[in-house]
Amino acid sequence: MNLERRWLVLALLCTAQFMLIVDVTVVNVALPTISGELALSASASTWVVTAYTLFFGSLLLLGGRLGDLLGRRRMFMVGLALFTAASLAAGLAGSAGVLITARAVQGIGAAVMSPAAMALITTVFRGPERNRALGVWAAIGATGAASGVLLGGVLVSGPGWESIFFVNVPIGLAVLVAVPALVKETTAAGHGAAPAGFDLPGALTMTATPALLIYGLSRAREDGFGDTGAWLPLLGALVGAALFVVAERSAAAPLVRLPFLARRSLIGGCLLMLAASGVLISAFFLCSLYLQHVLGFSALRTGLTFLPAALATLVGAHLGAQAVARLGWRATAGGGMAAAVAGALLLTGLERDGNAWTQLMPGFVLLSFGLGVGFVCAITGSLHGVGHEDAGLGSGVVNTCHELGASLGIAVVAAVAGGSLEAATPSPDGFGGAFAACAVIAAAAAAAGLALLPGGRPDPSAGPVFAH
């Protein structure tokens, strides 16, 4: 496959991924309008958001492994078809039940499609090109959440809330047509790595554990970690993780070889991904709350204010990919997360009558830039040295950490800030404490990256590659 064709494939895969990430935050912006027009209860409104993130996050590991076994292109197409059809159904929904069901199917499609797309990138590209491609992927994921805020404001203010779902349909159909013409099928079976049978206990525990964890974190965000509805699912997740280990140790043909999950570089990359996604989504949440409820910005104006931060994330990811090739993972991750710490500390000084451009923007941009660097280090570091047979699983693990980090970050900052952010006009003290927590998390991630990410610089010849 020539260079132009490879980068066209990357553009298509990133376009699909962008839709998935945008759909997390775009609904948050549109939810008040949706709730009013469909007369949704408070519980139903919550599930419009939760149904997507729950199914998306809980099925990523299984979706990635199925891509390894059944074909990455095939599972990408299946996932994208589900997501596109569900987007159409969501836009046409006239009741809470239909909308929540469509959101759940969107999440299933996203969980199947996303790890398959990342695995295709790791097999289409190699060496320095692979790191640059994964840098673009990381930037798309990081900016998608900010773009969702902007797109939500634009679309709800214009065509209406239905358009936030309808816009996915032509994009999804275009990618569905283009990808088969450009990408050949790849599976672990073609490299002698497919198991002899299907590991049902492993599949069930692999799905139930993150589902319980994400659900518990979402309840903790709403009711606090002391609530029974939060700690029971979290306890269930611990039990599920233990059962998963037992199932994989005893299976004749395990879905996951446990030594793979114990790889030092994978652990380091996943910890960095947990922290980076948690801090970034928390920052978007806190800054949106500050702009709209303290400074009185509209949803559209808030989205436009997020543009510099989104651009800073893109720049950070681009420069981060270059820095990894020259300085290595550890130095790059340490520098990026140090910038994120500095940005978070600047944001602890927000005031009730502050100015968005002088008080919020410097810290927000610096934080976003540093996290853009961190995302690249997390993805390329965790997938360093991963072979053909585990490309989908590795991608699923990293993507799962992205989703878990987002849920965990919001739950933590909500717990730190307590009720000070729930008032009609949130207290600046709550923002200060929440951003201080973000700084601590980013600092801990910098330490983990320095200790666990691969030492040295990437081998220019490293990385699996398939002939196309």
Side-chain angles (χ1 to χ4, degrees):
M1 183 185 294
N2 61 37
L3 179 61
E4 290 184 359
R5 189 168 180 177
R6 287 197 298 273
W7 286 97
L8 178 57
V9 169
L10 177 65
L12 291 170
L13 297 177
C14 285
T15 298
Q17 177 71 5
F18 185 75
M19 288 195 303
L20 307 190
I21 302 301
V22 163
D23 261 50
V24 176
T25 53
V26 72
V27 172
N28 286 324
V29 176
L31 194 56
T33 303
I34 297 173
S35 299
E37 292 195 12
L38 296 185
L40 302 183
S41 65
S43 175
S45 296
T46 299
W47 274 103
V48 170
V49 177
T50 304
Y52 181 71
T53 56
L54 182 64
F55 281 90
F56 188 5
S58 64
L59 292 171
L60 276 164
L61 286 174
L62 182 59
R65 202 42 160 169
L66 290 176
D68 289 335
L69 303 180
L70 304 179
R72 284 81 181 238
R73 190 188 72 174
R74 178 179 295 112
M75 297 312 295
F76 174 83
M77 299 291 288
V78 168
L80 181 56
L82 278 175
F83 182 85
T84 303
S87 295
L88 178 61
L92 296 172
S95 66
V98 173
L99 181 57
I100 292 170
T101 301
R103 289 286 286 166
V105 177
Q106 273 190 313
I108 295 170
V112 172
M113 178 176 71
S114 185
M118 188 188 288
L120 285 171
I121 291 172
T122 66
T123 57
V124 168
F125 293 90
R126 67 178 300 165
E129 266 192 9
R130 186 184 186 214
N131 285 332
R132 287 195 293 271
L134 289 174
V136 174
W137 176 271
I140 290 296
T143 57
S147 300
V149 177
L150 173 59
L151 289 174
V154 171
L155 294 175
V156 172
S157 302
W161 68 265
E162 297 90 348
S163 60
I164 68 173
F165 300 112
F166 287 149
V167 73
N168 294 330
V169 177
I171 297 173
L173 291 175
V175 177
L176 279 170
V177 171
V179 166
L182 294 170
V183 182
K184 292 184 179 179
E185 187 59 274
T186 62
T187 65
H191 294 77
F198 186 71
D199 173 19
L200 182 59
L204 293 175
T205 52
M206 182 191 290
T207 301
T209 299
L212 289 167
L213 184 54
I214 291 172
Y215 180 69
L217 290 173
S218 68
R219 291 298 301 268
R221 174 186 172 181
E222 296 175 19
D223 305 318
F225 282 98
D227 185 79
T228 304
W231 64 259
L232 277 180
L234 295 176
L235 181 61
L238 288 176
V239 174
L243 291 175
F244 170 72
V245 171
V246 171
E248 297 310 274
R249 281 182 172 175
S250 59
L255 270 176
V256 179
R257 293 174 290 104
L258 293 178
F260 173 80
L261 297 180
R263 292 166 56 97
R264 185 186 183 94
S265 58
L266 181 65
I267 294 172
C270 286
L271 288 175
L272 186 57
M273 177 60 79
L274 276 170
S277 62
V279 171
L280 186 66
I281 297 300
S282 297
F284 287 162
F285 166 72
L286 292 168
C287 290
S288 178
L289 198 64
Y290 177 75
L291 290 170
Q292 294 187 74
H293 293 273
V294 177
L295 300 187
F297 282 27
S298 66
L300 178 58
R301 190 179 177 190
T302 298
L304 292 172
T305 308
F306 272 43
L307 276 178
L311 293 174
T313 310
L314 282 170
V315 172
H318 174 70
L319 295 180
Q322 294 182 337
V324 165
R326 296 180 181 179
L327 305 175
W329 283 283
R330 293 180 181 178
T332 304
M337 297 312 289
V341 171
L345 291 176
L346 285 174
L347 288 166
T348 60
L350 294 178
E351 299 175 354
R352 188 176 301 279
D353 56 351
N355 182 286
W357 295 103
T358 59
Q359 285 198 1
L360 180 139
M361 195 55 63
F364 196 16
V365 168
L366 184 58
L367 175 77
S368 300
F369 173 84
L371 294 176
V373 175
F375 277 116
V376 173
C377 295
I379 292 176
T380 58
S382 58
L383 295 179
H384 177 65
V386 173
H388 297 287
E389 68 277 8
D390 292 317
L393 175 62
S395 302
V397 172
V398 176
N399 278 299
T400 299
C401 289
H402 183 280
E403 297 307 308
L404 289 177
S407 298
L408 182 60
I410 294 292
V412 168
V413 299
V416 169
S420 61
L421 297 181
E422 298 177 1
T425 304
S427 166
D429 293 338
F431 290 105
F435 279 116
C438 289
V440 171
I441 294 170
L450 289 171
L452 298 172
L453 286 175
R457 295 176 296 177
D459 181 350
S461 62
V465 61
F466 287 108
H468 293 289

Tab-separated table of all heavy atoms in Angstrom, residues 27 70 92 243 318 320 324 413 429 437 439 444-445 463:
chain	number	residue	atom	x	y	z
A	27	VAL	N	-24.285	15.050	23.244
A	27	VAL	CA	-25.586	14.789	23.856
A	27	VAL	C	-25.740	15.559	25.157
A	27	VAL	O	-26.842	16.008	25.502
A	27	VAL	CB	-25.784	13.277	24.073
A	27	VAL	CG1	-27.049	13.000	24.875
A	27	VAL	CG2	-25.864	12.566	22.730
A	70	LEU	N	-11.884	-12.587	14.337
A	70	LEU	CA	-12.825	-12.648	13.212
A	70	LEU	C	-12.459	-11.719	12.062
A	70	LEU	O	-13.062	-11.822	10.990
A	70	LEU	CB	-14.244	-12.317	13.696
A	70	LEU	CG	-14.782	-13.197	14.833
A	70	LEU	CD1	-16.180	-12.740	15.240
A	70	LEU	CD2	-14.808	-14.667	14.415
A	92	LEU	N	-34.719	9.762	14.971
A	92	LEU	CA	-36.154	9.585	14.712
A	92	LEU	C	-36.952	9.277	15.970
A	92	LEU	O	-38.184	9.179	15.917
A	92	LEU	CB	-36.370	8.453	13.697
A	92	LEU	CG	-35.810	8.687	12.287
A	92	LEU	CD1	-35.921	7.412	11.458
A	92	LEU	CD2	-36.528	9.843	11.604
A	243	LEU	N	-12.750	-13.169	39.040
A	243	LEU	CA	-13.305	-14.295	38.276
A	243	LEU	C	-12.717	-14.356	36.872
A	243	LEU	O	-12.503	-15.437	36.317
A	243	LEU	CB	-14.825	-14.172	38.206
A	243	LEU	CG	-15.579	-14.373	39.521
A	243	LEU	CD1	-17.073	-14.104	39.324
A	243	LEU	CD2	-15.358	-15.783	40.064
A	318	HIS	N	0.635	16.387	18.044
A	318	HIS	CA	1.569	16.410	16.905
A	318	HIS	C	3.013	16.523	17.376
A	318	HIS	O	3.888	15.750	16.959
A	318	HIS	CB	1.213	17.581	15.987
A	318	HIS	CG	2.180	17.786	14.858
A	318	HIS	ND1	2.287	16.902	13.797
A	318	HIS	CD2	3.100	18.767	14.638
A	318	HIS	CE1	3.231	17.325	12.976
A	318	HIS	NE2	3.737	18.451	13.454
A	320	GLY	N	4.065	15.893	20.344
A	320	GLY	CA	4.369	14.744	21.185
A	320	GLY	C	4.860	13.560	20.371
A	320	GLY	O	5.802	12.862	20.772
A	324	VAL	N	8.544	11.931	20.938
A	324	VAL	CA	8.758	10.520	21.288
A	324	VAL	C	9.864	9.933	20.419
A	324	VAL	O	10.731	9.191	20.898
A	324	VAL	CB	7.450	9.715	21.131
A	324	VAL	CG1	7.722	8.218	21.137
A	324	VAL	CG2	6.479	10.058	22.250
A	413	VAL	N	-13.588	14.416	40.722
A	413	VAL	CA	-13.688	15.871	40.904
A	413	VAL	C	-15.023	16.244	41.540
A	413	VAL	O	-15.094	17.201	42.323
A	413	VAL	CB	-13.491	16.645	39.574
A	413	VAL	CG1	-12.115	16.386	38.994
A	413	VAL	CG2	-14.568	16.326	38.568
A	429	ASP	N	-14.543	28.149	45.152
A	429	ASP	CA	-13.758	27.231	45.987
A	429	ASP	C	-13.858	25.797	45.470
A	429	ASP	O	-12.886	25.039	45.524
A	429	ASP	CB	-14.240	27.282	47.439
A	429	ASP	CG	-13.956	28.633	48.087
A	429	ASP	OD1	-13.051	29.338	47.600
A	429	ASP	OD2	-14.652	28.978	49.069
A	437	ALA	N	-7.111	18.730	42.448
A	437	ALA	CA	-7.139	17.272	42.315
A	437	ALA	C	-6.635	16.845	40.936
A	437	ALA	O	-5.907	15.845	40.811
A	437	ALA	CB	-8.556	16.750	42.551
A	439	ALA	N	-4.442	18.415	39.167
A	439	ALA	CA	-2.996	18.585	39.183
A	439	ALA	C	-2.305	17.411	39.861
A	439	ALA	O	-1.266	16.923	39.391
A	439	ALA	CB	-2.628	19.895	39.889
A	444	ALA	N	0.868	12.394	39.415
A	444	ALA	CA	1.017	10.958	39.640
A	444	ALA	C	1.209	10.217	38.320
A	444	ALA	O	1.997	9.257	38.233
A	444	ALA	CB	-0.213	10.421	40.376
A	445	ALA	N	0.501	10.663	37.270
A	445	ALA	CA	0.654	10.038	35.952
A	445	ALA	C	2.048	10.277	35.392
A	445	ALA	O	2.619	9.387	34.748
A	445	ALA	CB	-0.403	10.587	34.996
A	463	GLY	N	7.235	-2.484	15.010
A	463	GLY	CA	5.813	-2.392	14.723
A	463	GLY	C	5.385	-3.408	13.711
A	463	GLY	O	6.007	-3.597	12.686
